[in-house]
Amino acid sequence: MTGICEGRVVVVTGAGRGLGRAHALAFAAEGAKVVVNDLGVGVDGAGGSGGPARAVADEIVAGGGTAVSHLGDIATAEGAASLVATAVDTFGRLDTLVNNAGFLRDRMLVNLGEDDWDAVMRVHLKGHFLPLKHAAAHWRAEAKGGGGTAARVVNTSSGAGLLGSVGQGNYAAAKAGIIGLTLVAAAELARYGVQVNAIAPAARTRMTEQTFAETMAAPAPGEFDAMSPSNVSPLVVWLGSADCAGVSGRVFEAEAGRITVMEGWRPGPTADKGARWTPVEAGGAVRKLLTEAEVPHPVYGMR
């Protein structure tokens, strides 16, 4: 290991399993002190247990690293505030926040209940906003107090947020919202030395193993495990380190051994009449413009 995060204090939400666990272990392996947050809920958000977070923290300590568990609900103001306080009170500082917590309530739109919509929006979008808000307030106070900072935030979006996903209207909307939040935070927090980026990972986790069972099966012994969550973590660790200076407001897709810079909405073909269109004129202009535009990628689940 390179020690790229030696001495940094890193918070990872949803770190009891899957991608979050892989991130926490990878940060610890690179010298970071890690706050392992997880409620230990089921894949649909039901139940809860402190076991997963404690187990990951214990695993880090057993391997010679430094970690502490945090069992608070980061989608509440109290839980998010205590998450930041745990890092600062235990280790004296906070350098990196990795927002990763989430669960699924998949339904087709006509069957999607309001509770399922609200629950997914709460854990993914609000669960990103509140830790980010409290961490940002801490870093702003540091900057105004004259302290230098190389703070980093890594948010977790999804291909569903970039392209859409059939049967996941709530999840896709939340993940798209995370990209918008990332762009705003990167712009607003730059003055305080905070860099904010997002990833759209693809890996074998509890949330994906049923949806993508065929493509995410474990490999034969000795073969590269293309869908291991650990493949995503090196990018997250780099984005959470001081070495990524100057990289902010970006979205990266990470899968297997591939890293892609995602390029989002930008102006394409344009028509300007210089006056108000009639509906028929507008329709004709749009049809012409669409012949000049790139064909969009298909929504996940469509063939």
Side-chain angles (χ1 to χ4, degrees):
M1 297 300 174
T2 62
I4 193 174
C5 287
E6 189 68 40
R8 291 180 70 83
V9 176
V10 178
V11 166
V12 184
T13 70
R17 303 181 180 95
L19 284 164
R21 174 181 177 273
H23 301 340
L25 294 175
F27 273 110
E30 294 293 345
K33 301 172 183 177
V34 184
V35 178
V36 180
N37 164 267
D38 204 287
L39 283 177
V41 299
V43 71
D44 63 350
S49 165
R54 294 191 186 102
V56 174
D58 289 346
E59 184 177 354
I60 290 172
V61 172
T66 304
V68 63
S69 61
H70 176 269
L71 310 180
D73 183 355
I74 47 84
T76 67
E78 296 78 11
S82 72
L83 179 67
V84 173
T86 296
V88 175
D89 294 346
T90 305
F91 301 123
R93 58 186 296 113
L94 172 61
D95 299 291
T96 299
L97 167 65
V98 179
N99 284 315
N100 170 78
F103 56 71
L104 296 177
R105 298 278 183 89
D106 291 353
R107 300 283 190 279
M108 300 298 279
L109 285 173
V110 294
N111 296 319
L112 183 60
E114 187 175 352
D115 289 346
D116 292 331
W117 174 274
D118 290 344
V120 168
M121 284 293 174
R122 177 183 183 276
V123 68
H124 287 281
L125 195 49
K126 193 175 181 181
H128 271 63
F129 160 64
L130 286 174
L132 176 55
K133 169 185 169 70
H134 287 277
H138 168 74
W139 289 322
R140 181 182 64 176
E142 275 194 338
K144 288 188 173 182
T149 181
R152 306 286 185 258
V153 178
V154 184
N155 291 330
T156 305
S157 184
S158 167
L162 298 169
L163 301 176
S165 180
V166 172
Q168 293 189 310
N170 49 359
Y171 178 75
K175 289 303 192 182
I178 287 167
I179 294 173
L181 178 63
T182 298
L183 300 179
V184 171
E188 291 185 356
L189 302 180
R191 71 189 71 178
Y192 307 123
V194 182
Q195 294 182 186
V196 187
N197 293 286
I199 60 166
R204 185 192 315 103
T205 70
R206 292 187 306 160
M207 289 172 57
T208 60
E209 62 185 0
Q210 296 301 318
T211 305
F212 304 108
E214 293 183 4
T215 58
M216 293 196 173
E223 292 184 358
F224 173 53
D225 187 354
M227 300 316 298
S228 169
S230 298
N231 298 332
V232 177
S233 299
L235 173 61
V236 175
V237 170
W238 185 77
L239 290 172
S241 75
D243 279 27
C244 77
V247 179
S248 193
R250 293 288 192 164
V251 179
F252 301 89
E253 194 171 60
E255 176 182 351
R258 178 172 56 84
I259 296 172
T260 304
V261 179
M262 304 304 290
E263 298 180 338
W265 295 109
R266 60 184 62 206
T270 302
D272 185 354
K273 180 182 176 181
R276 182 181 301 142
W277 301 91
T278 68
V280 172
E281 288 174 333
V286 168
R287 289 196 178 279
K288 182 176 184 300
L289 291 174
L290 288 175
T291 66
E292 304 167 7
E294 292 187 14
V295 177
H297 288 272
V299 172
Y300 287 125
M302 298 295 292
R303 299 205 181 256

